[in-house]
Amino acid sequence: MFGFGKKEVKAPEERLADLQRKKDWAGVSRTYYELGVTAMDAGNLHKAHLWLHRADTIYSADGNIYDKVGEKLMDDCSDRIGRLEDEDGLFYNAIPAEIEARAEELSDPQVRVWGLLSIARLVRLGERLARLPGCEVLGQLDWAVDLMFHSLQTLPSQEAYQRLMDMCNALYELNGKPVYYSGEIEVPGRVPFQLFDLNGPFGVEQELNGYTDNHLRLLAALSQGAEELPTAESSIVGCALLPDYYVRTSVDRLEDVPQIKAELQRIWSDYDFVRDRLTWEEAGKRIADYKRLDILD
């Protein structure tokens, strides 16, 4: 009657910190799911998107974690994610849909340059994240952007092609490493940026992998004189928005975040540029300027 021996029930946020310290990733995944369900049931769909996708990313990346989490949780998590994907007004859905629609008005080279301009804005962030153990590949974005841009004009050497392929593979392998769930860097005057904040709508590192893989297939086809070339994809264009970081730090409306507003302005400015005024010289200047940009500032 006095409650002796009762186990203290910790809030999900407290349990999450303990589980992360213990590297209990199945427990972390279950806790993210719990946070996502609570947010979704409360009508906070951006937070629901953040936490449910984090849960899904963890259990989908490792078979052992997958088995521990259980099918009932995973089925409900997938169902909820599917319902969120049908929410037309959700920022996570609306912006990629608008980018895709505008890309249909562009030629293949224009779409590719539009994507490279966005990747260039990740260079400085990538250099900082590359200091985390196992994340060195993110420090190669500076070189990769230049290589892919110039290879749209002149085919690269076999050595450069192989280096780009190695980078592509390393980007794919980044998702699922323990550091992906726990690594973070300081942001002056603000909450630290977590590597997991790259998860975004589709996973920035996976979008980088997809863009690079598509580019490698383009180069291979061109070198062989193929008539049919891989079609450019536009999903990389939104990669520098980083909505997960701002949702996690309790922002209510993503559209009101100064950094997101600035990035959206750059995205649409780049669209106007590649559609109406694209030259190799001007594109090169934009890329050089963007590589010096701190998108978290």
Side-chain angles (χ1 to χ4, degrees):
M1 64 182 288
F2 295 104
F4 294 134
K6 281 188 178 179
K7 195 171 183 179
E8 180 185 1
V9 178
K10 293 185 178 180
E13 293 81 358
E14 294 181 84
R15 281 190 279 116
L16 188 59
D18 290 341
L19 292 164
Q20 287 171 326
R21 280 193 293 270
K22 296 174 184 175
K23 298 185 179 350
D24 180 355
W25 303 122
V28 170
S29 181
R30 285 191 291 265
T31 305
Y32 280 145
Y33 164 76
E34 183 180 338
L35 288 167
V37 169
T38 300
M40 191 167 183
D41 291 348
N44 191 333
L45 301 188
H46 284 138
K47 279 282 175 70
H49 190 286
L50 169 74
W51 300 127
L52 292 172
H53 273 275
R54 285 197 175 196
D56 177 80
T57 295
I58 293 175
Y59 67 64
S60 297
D62 188 306
N64 292 324
I65 297 174
Y66 188 93
D67 292 337
K68 291 178 182 177
V69 168
E71 289 189 10
K72 183 177 179 181
L73 181 153
M74 291 185 291
D75 287 346
D76 186 61
C77 188
S78 296
D79 176 69
R80 288 175 178 271
I81 288 173
R83 285 151 54 193
L84 288 172
E85 290 173 350
D86 291 334
E87 291 284 342
D88 291 336
L90 199 64
F91 183 92
Y92 284 99
N93 301 333
I95 299 304
E98 185 172 358
I99 289 170
E100 183 178 0
R102 295 202 190 192
E104 292 178 359
E105 303 171 9
L106 303 176
S107 67
D108 194 276
Q110 288 172 329
V111 173
R112 293 183 185 280
V113 173
W114 195 17
L116 282 173
L117 291 167
S118 290
I119 297 173
R121 295 195 288 275
L122 289 171
V123 165
R124 283 193 62 186
L125 177 61
E127 289 172 346
R128 295 169 64 193
L129 292 171
R131 298 168 192 160
L132 297 170
C135 300
E136 293 79 7
V137 63
L138 295 174
Q140 298 183 44
L141 292 180
D142 190 342
W143 170 83
V145 168
D146 284 347
L147 184 281
M148 288 189 284
F149 175 64
H150 292 301
S151 67
L152 290 174
Q153 305 162 67
T154 305
L155 288 177
S157 66
Q158 183 59 41
E159 181 182 7
Y161 180 90
Q162 184 60 53
R163 181 181 171 185
L164 189 63
M165 181 178 288
D166 292 342
M167 176 186 155
C168 182
N169 294 334
L171 284 167
Y172 180 80
E173 294 167 359
L174 181 58
N175 186 296
K177 289 184 177 181
V179 69
Y180 190 73
Y181 313 138
S182 59
E184 64 179 30
I185 58 173
E186 293 299 318
V187 179
R190 311 217 348 249
V191 175
F193 183 91
Q194 296 179 354
L195 186 61
F196 215 168
D197 290 328
L198 294 180
N199 211 40
F202 308 107
V204 172
E205 79 293 338
Q206 297 303 301
E207 291 293 348
L208 289 169
N209 164 263
Y211 183 96
T212 307
D213 179 73
N214 184 287
H215 192 86
L216 286 164
R217 289 188 287 110
L218 172 70
L219 297 179
L222 289 172
S223 68
Q224 296 165 12
E227 293 184 6
E228 188 171 342
L229 303 177
T231 302
E233 299 174 357
S234 62
S235 54
I236 191 67
V237 170
C239 67
L241 285 165
L242 307 176
D244 276 15
Y245 175 63
Y246 302 103
V247 171
R248 182 176 61 81
T249 53
S250 299
V251 168
D252 292 327
R253 276 181 46 84
L254 287 168
E255 296 86 347
D256 296 334
V257 177
Q259 291 83 358
I260 284 185
K261 289 169 71 174
E263 177 58 17
L264 285 172
Q265 288 175 352
R266 289 187 285 263
I267 287 173
W268 306 136
S269 172
D270 288 344
Y271 168 75
D272 291 337
F273 166 70
V274 298
R275 183 191 62 186
D276 301 327
R277 307 186 306 279
L278 176 61
T279 67
W280 294 120
E281 181 180 4
E282 288 302 316
K285 289 179 181 178
R286 280 198 176 220
I287 286 174
D289 289 341
Y290 282 152
K291 288 195 297 181
R292 294 190 288 267
L293 184 66
D294 184 350
I295 55 175
L296 296 179
D297 190 0

